[in-house]
Amino acid sequence: MFTVPKKIVEQLRKEYPVGTRVELIEMNDQFNTKLKPGCQGTVTDVDDAGTIHVRWDCGSSLGICYGVDKCKKI
């Protein structure tokens, strides 16, 4: 199992505080049926595993997994 170092989690929390708007660049999730590159949403949390939780404008709530998925601040 891949563990995200605490220092990285702290960095992510500073870079993506609650309320930050993000845009999806890439997601590798077999359960993703709504999200495509370019989808936008609002950060709701960054958990201890480094997942950036997002309330996507399209209604999805899938998180951005550190080291797997990619997003950018807008």
Side-chain angles (χ1 to χ4, degrees):
M1 180 174 179
F2 177 71
T3 303
V4 178
K6 188 173 184 169
K7 185 171 184 158
I8 298 292
V9 172
E10 290 170 5
Q11 223 175 338
L12 288 169
R13 286 180 175 146
K14 285 180 185 176
E15 187 173 352
Y16 297 98
V18 172
T20 300
R21 294 285 294 166
V22 294
E23 181 176 312
L24 182 66
I25 296 172
E26 179 181 344
M27 180 172 277
N28 185 16
D29 188 322
Q30 65 181 352
F31 299 106
N32 176 24
T33 59
K34 291 184 177 182
L35 296 172
K36 306 288 183 235
C39 285
Q40 298 180 354
T42 304
V43 174
T44 59
D45 185 38
V46 176
D47 67 20
D48 291 340
T51 299
I52 302 169
H53 294 273
V54 179
R55 183 180 61 242
W56 297 100
D57 296 347
C58 68
S60 179
S61 60
L62 289 175
I64 302 293
C65 295
Y66 177 79
V68 178
D69 305 321
K70 296 178 185 171
C71 70
K72 65 178 181 179
K73 292 196 301 186
I74 52 173

